[in-house]
Amino acid sequence: MRALVTGGAGFLGSHLCDLLLAKGYEVICADSIITGNEQNIAHIKTSEFSFIKHNVTKPLHLDGKIDLIFHLASPASPIDYLELPIQTLKVGALGTHNMLGLAKEKRARFLLASTSEVYGDPLVNPQPEEYWGNVNPIGPRGVYDEAKRFAEAMTMAYHRYHKLDTRIVRIFNTYGPRMRLKDGRVVPNFISQALRGEDITVYGDGSQTRSFCYVSDEIEGIYRLMMSDYTLPVNIGNPEEHTILEFAEIILKITGSRSKIAFKELPVDDPKQRRPDITKAKKLLKWEPRVSLEAGLKETIKYFKAFQL
Ligand code: UDP
């Protein structure tokens, strides 16, 4: 079996490449290295793995068969998509169209990495897959949210019209080794601030909530969805919900840091609550997260200390 992973040199993509290789797949990793990093795949030595530097907003032609396409390529951190608004729209729209075209040509099964951002600033908590969301199309986050919503629509159109075998995973906040220390998201920000003794920057009053999934759980859920026969979107994330202020306190406790909390301005359209309803994943995929927040954070802190501080 031969799999293509777009965004394969990114945080999630590189872990997915590792899992697929361990399961005996031949893996082709395509990445533009705009937000990905070749260091994330530098440890992979097997001849079953190949890397192509390619931006999927341009068509990709590959020789030979492809059985599975995992389409993960996109900036995914708010500061990245705010800095790269046009690229983010293009990769979600043109990139997804190109990869669906490749899947159709190869008759490959296609999985779209979608996001909890399709729910926008949700008025329903937790979010079930049936919820249509509350997205501001013209706000700064709209470039990511709408690109992913378009990508879902395009994937379903290929599924219905071209009878393509497709999957859609809605990925909720995920953390773990290989996140970039400077990618601006809350987990690397708080950990680096705590370890350096700098102020912990809580945006707004910290009452907004998030639910954090450890990377190994997320990747297992994505793989199980690809192996299932379910073609509608499935949430994969950890339903344990914390306010951001609570989360800052958890990081302070685990690191033993004496950093102070400093409140900063809340970014525009920052969702007030986010928690996946994972009833579907539990039932259809027999999946639920196994790694506790404390255990996952300890692994992540170890990684940042060893590689990035
Ligand atoms: N956040 C924060 N301090 C930071 C970075 C993020 O308080 O230094 C907050 C942010 O406003 C949001 C939450 O943490 O409410 C998660 O932000 P992140 O950028 O990780 O991803 P999001 O879930 O918003 O996509």
Side-chain angles (χ1 to χ4, degrees), residues 141 173 185-186 189-190 201 203 208 210 244 270 274:
R141 297 174 88 103
N173 294 64
R185 278 184 280 199
V186 68
N189 271 14
F190 284 7
T201 55
Y203 300 158
Q208 71 274 31
R210 293 294 186 274
I244 291 300
D270 196 285
R274 182 180 291 155

Side-chain angles (χ1 to χ4, degrees), residues 24-239:
Y25 289 85
E26 186 184 337
V27 177
I28 304 166
C29 161
D31 202 301
S32 68
I33 308 295
I34 294 175
T35 58
N37 183 347
E38 278 180 84
Q39 277 306 317
N40 288 338
I41 48 171
H43 62 283
I44 305 176
K45 304 291 180 208
T46 164
S47 59
E48 297 300 295
F49 180 78
S50 53
F51 171 69
I52 311 169
K53 189 169 174 200
H54 181 83
N55 187 328
V56 295
T57 59
K58 303 271 180 324
L60 176 62
H61 298 285
L62 294 172
D63 290 332
K65 67 161 192 169
I66 303 281
D67 302 291
L68 304 176
I69 298 179
F70 293 87
H71 177 44
L72 274 64
S74 176
S77 165
I79 61 161
D80 288 331
Y81 54 78
L82 299 183
E83 266 173 32
L84 304 166
I86 315 284
Q87 287 97 324
T88 302
L89 282 159
K90 283 175 74 177
V91 75
L94 308 180
T96 302
H97 185 213
N98 286 333
M99 292 307 100
L100 283 163
L102 181 64
K104 176 169 160 265
E105 155 84 21
K106 302 287 184 186
R107 297 317 297 174
R109 187 179 291 180
F110 176 91
L111 178 140
L112 171 70
S114 185
T115 167
S116 54
E117 283 282 325
V118 301
Y119 302 120
D121 187 4
L123 305 176
V124 170
N125 197 46
Q127 295 83 53
E129 290 84 349
E130 291 74 21
Y131 180 51
W132 290 353
N134 177 39
V135 171
N136 175 4
I138 57 163
R141 297 174 88 103
V143 298
Y144 184 61
D145 303 8
E146 296 295 5
K148 289 291 190 183
R149 288 168 70 97
F150 175 90
E152 288 197 7
M154 187 65 122
T155 301
M156 289 311 296
Y158 266 68
H159 175 69
R160 294 191 179 112
Y161 187 76
H162 290 308
K163 309 284 176 244
L164 195 69
D165 193 16
T166 57
R167 309 284 181 271
I168 298 174
V169 58
R170 293 190 180 145
I171 299 172
F172 282 64
N173 294 64
T174 303
Y175 69 98
R178 299 189 200 152
M179 277 191 112
R180 292 165 306 154
L181 193 65
K182 292 196 177 132
D183 93 353
R185 278 184 280 199
V186 68
V187 173
N189 271 14
F190 284 7
I191 292 178
S192 69
Q193 290 160 348
L195 294 178
R196 291 179 169 139
E198 297 165 359
D199 285 352
I200 307 277
T201 55
V202 169
Y203 300 158
D205 62 4
S207 63
Q208 71 274 31
T209 68
R210 293 294 186 274
S211 312
F212 298 97
C213 187
Y214 189 63
V215 60
S216 57
D217 284 331
E218 187 67 45
I219 296 298
E220 176 66 25
I222 292 173
Y223 180 74
R224 284 196 195 191
L225 176 60
M226 182 60 121
M227 290 303 120
S228 79
D229 57 7
Y230 191 73
T231 55
L232 293 174
V234 177
N235 292 335
I236 298 287
N238 192 316

